[in-house]
Amino acid sequence: MSGRAAAHVRGTRPEDLPGIIRLCRTVYPESPPWTDAQLASHLRVFPDGQFVAVSGADGAVVGMAASLIVLWDDYTFTTTWRELTAAGTFANHDPARGRTLYAAEVMVDPAWQGRGVGTQLYAAREALARRLGLLRIRAGARLRGYQAASGSLTVEAYVSEVIHGRRADPTLTFQLRRGFRVLAVAPGYLAHDPESQGHAAVIEWLNPEVARPEDAAAGDPRFQVP
């Protein structure tokens, strides 16, 4: 890996779609990948919200992030991923009313993890939220490490352990370090995901350029930190 050129993040283009689908199959080999129709819909309804990380050596897609804008009042902390993304099409993208950038997907090729690709993708999203004057970013953090702990911990106890640094989760720990905080746990957020057993942590990043103290949502008190 030391000899491989770095990756850089840019906006997604139509010619990137086959590479994104290949990346999906690498990262989630047991799950159906994004389809051409879904990815094309993302570019049609909100091109600015779609990013790829590409290898500097050969231009291969090694990471991606997909987002849409929603009016959060239309949803709750227990809304499923399928509902929040209109079955993956982003047809519910609502820039006229929404102030929340919903982070529907982010993934990095396992061979490129630990090289700053995820950090670049998250930074691109944060820059987008700032540029558009959005209040916040919210997402469902897939609890990839929960399956191994599920025999001894409830999902709420697992999330609390991660928040307080007593346990690391491959996804949530990274997001907490990026300045997100946990608001709630969404059971049944994902279908057919054995690693998380379907659970996700609802997380939030507030845009410091526009957020006021009262904009910090009241989340589950078990997940609050001093």
Coordinates of all heavy atoms in Angstrom, one line a residue, residues 8-17 20 43 46-54 61 63-65 121 124:
H8 N -8.2 11.2 -4.1 CA -8.8 12.5 -3.9 C -10.3 12.4 -4.1 O -10.8 11.6 -4.9 CB -8.1 13.5 -4.8 CG -8.5 13.4 -6.3 ND1 -7.8 12.5 -7.1 CD2 -9.4 13.9 -7.1 CE1 -8.3 12.5 -8.3 NE2 -9.3 13.4 -8.3
V9 N -11.0 13.4 -3.5 CA -12.5 13.4 -3.6 C -12.9 14.5 -4.5 O -12.4 15.6 -4.6 CB -13.0 13.7 -2.2 CG1 -14.6 13.9 -2.2 CG2 -12.8 12.5 -1.3
R10 N -13.9 14.1 -5.3 CA -14.6 15.1 -6.3 C -16.0 14.7 -6.4 O -16.5 13.7 -5.9 CB -13.9 15.0 -7.6 CG -13.9 13.7 -8.3 CD -13.5 13.8 -9.8 NE -13.3 12.5 -10.4 CZ -14.3 11.7 -10.8 NH1 -15.6 12.0 -10.6 NH2 -14.0 10.5 -11.4
G11 N -16.8 15.5 -7.1 CA -18.2 15.2 -7.4 C -18.3 14.0 -8.3 O -17.5 13.7 -9.1
T12 N -19.4 13.3 -8.0 CA -19.7 12.1 -8.8 C -20.1 12.4 -10.2 O -20.8 13.4 -10.4 CB -20.8 11.2 -8.1 OG1 -20.4 10.9 -6.8 CG2 -21.1 10.0 -8.9
R13 N -19.6 11.7 -11.2 CA -20.0 11.9 -12.6 C -20.7 10.6 -13.1 O -20.5 9.5 -12.6 CB -18.7 12.1 -13.4 CG -17.9 13.3 -12.9 CD -16.5 13.3 -13.6 NE -15.7 14.4 -13.1 CZ -14.4 14.4 -13.3 NH1 -13.7 13.4 -13.9 NH2 -13.7 15.4 -12.8
P14 N -21.4 10.7 -14.2 CA -22.1 9.5 -14.7 C -21.2 8.4 -15.0 O -21.5 7.2 -14.8 CB -22.8 10.1 -16.0 CG -23.0 11.5 -15.7 CD -21.9 12.0 -14.9
E15 N -20.0 8.7 -15.5 CA -19.0 7.6 -15.8 C -18.5 6.9 -14.6 O -17.8 5.8 -14.7 CB -17.9 8.2 -16.6 CG -17.1 9.3 -16.0 CD -17.5 10.7 -16.4 OE1 -18.7 10.8 -16.6 OE2 -16.7 11.6 -16.4
D16 N -18.8 7.4 -13.4 CA -18.3 6.8 -12.1 C -19.3 5.7 -11.7 O -18.9 4.9 -10.8 CB -18.2 7.8 -11.0 CG -17.2 8.9 -11.2 OD1 -16.1 8.5 -11.8 OD2 -17.5 10.0 -10.9
L17 N -20.5 5.6 -12.3 CA -21.5 4.7 -11.7 C -21.0 3.2 -11.7 O -21.2 2.5 -10.7 CB -22.8 4.9 -12.4 CG -23.4 6.3 -12.4 CD1 -24.9 6.3 -12.8 CD2 -23.2 7.0 -11.0
I20 N -18.8 2.7 -8.8 CA -19.5 2.7 -7.5 C -20.2 1.4 -7.3 O -20.1 0.8 -6.2 CB -20.5 3.8 -7.5 CG1 -19.8 5.2 -7.5 CG2 -21.4 3.7 -6.3 CD1 -20.8 6.4 -7.6
L43 N -27.9 11.7 -9.1 CA -27.2 12.7 -9.9 C -28.3 13.7 -10.5 O -28.0 14.9 -10.7 CB -26.4 12.1 -11.0 CG -25.1 11.5 -10.5 CD1 -24.3 10.8 -11.7 CD2 -24.2 12.5 -9.8
F46 N -29.9 15.7 -7.1 CA -29.0 16.4 -6.3 C -27.6 16.1 -6.6 O -26.9 15.5 -5.8 CB -29.3 16.1 -4.8 CG -28.6 17.0 -3.8 CD1 -28.3 18.3 -4.0 CD2 -28.3 16.4 -2.5 CE1 -27.7 19.1 -3.1 CE2 -27.6 17.2 -1.6 CZ -27.3 18.5 -1.8
P47 N -27.1 16.6 -7.7 CA -25.7 16.3 -8.1 C -24.7 16.8 -7.1 O -23.6 16.1 -6.9 CB -25.5 16.9 -9.5 CG -26.6 17.9 -9.6 CD -27.8 17.4 -8.8
D48 N -24.9 17.9 -6.5 CA -23.9 18.5 -5.6 C -23.7 17.6 -4.3 O -22.7 17.7 -3.6 CB -24.3 19.9 -5.1 CG -24.1 20.9 -6.2 OD1 -23.5 20.6 -7.2 OD2 -24.5 22.1 -6.0
G49 N -24.7 16.7 -4.0 CA -24.6 15.9 -2.8 C -23.9 14.6 -3.0 O -23.8 13.8 -2.0
Q50 N -23.4 14.3 -4.2 CA -22.8 13.0 -4.5 C -21.3 13.2 -4.7 O -20.8 14.0 -5.5 CB -23.4 12.4 -5.7 CG -24.9 12.6 -5.8 CD -25.7 12.3 -4.5 OE1 -25.4 11.3 -3.8 NE2 -26.7 13.1 -4.2
F51 N -20.5 12.3 -4.0 CA -19.0 12.4 -4.1 C -18.4 11.0 -4.3 O -19.0 10.0 -3.8 CB -18.5 13.0 -2.8 CG -18.9 14.4 -2.4 CD1 -20.0 14.6 -1.5 CD2 -18.4 15.5 -3.0 CE1 -20.4 15.8 -1.2 CE2 -18.8 16.8 -2.7 CZ -19.8 16.9 -1.8
V52 N -17.3 11.0 -4.9 CA -16.5 9.8 -5.0 C -15.0 10.2 -4.6 O -14.6 11.3 -4.8 CB -16.5 9.2 -6.5 CG1 -17.8 8.6 -6.8 CG2 -16.0 10.2 -7.5
A53 N -14.3 9.2 -4.1 CA -12.9 9.2 -3.9 C -12.3 8.3 -5.0 O -12.7 7.2 -5.2 CB -12.5 8.7 -2.5
V54 N -11.3 8.9 -5.7 CA -10.7 8.1 -6.8 C -9.2 8.0 -6.6 O -8.6 8.9 -6.1 CB -11.0 8.8 -8.2 CG1 -12.5 8.7 -8.5 CG2 -10.5 10.2 -8.2
V61 N -12.6 4.1 -8.6 CA -13.4 4.6 -7.4 C -13.1 3.7 -6.2 O -13.3 2.5 -6.2 CB -14.9 4.5 -7.8 CG1 -15.8 4.8 -6.5 CG2 -15.3 5.4 -8.9
G63 N -13.9 5.1 -2.9 CA -14.8 5.5 -1.9 C -16.0 6.3 -2.5 O -15.9 6.8 -3.6
M64 N -17.1 6.4 -1.8 CA -18.2 7.2 -2.3 C -19.0 7.7 -1.1 O -19.0 7.1 0.0 CB -19.1 6.4 -3.2 CG -19.8 5.3 -2.6 SD -21.4 5.7 -1.9 CE -22.5 5.9 -3.3
A65 N -19.8 8.8 -1.3 CA -20.7 9.3 -0.3 C -21.9 9.8 -1.1 O -21.8 10.5 -2.1 CB -20.1 10.4 0.5
L121 N -14.1 12.3 2.6 CA -15.5 12.3 2.2 C -16.4 13.0 3.2 O -17.3 13.8 2.8 CB -16.0 10.8 2.0 CG -15.4 10.0 0.8 CD1 -15.7 8.6 1.0 CD2 -16.0 10.5 -0.5
A124 N -15.9 16.7 2.7 CA -16.6 17.2 1.6 C -18.1 17.5 1.9 O -18.7 18.5 1.5 CB -16.5 16.2 0.4

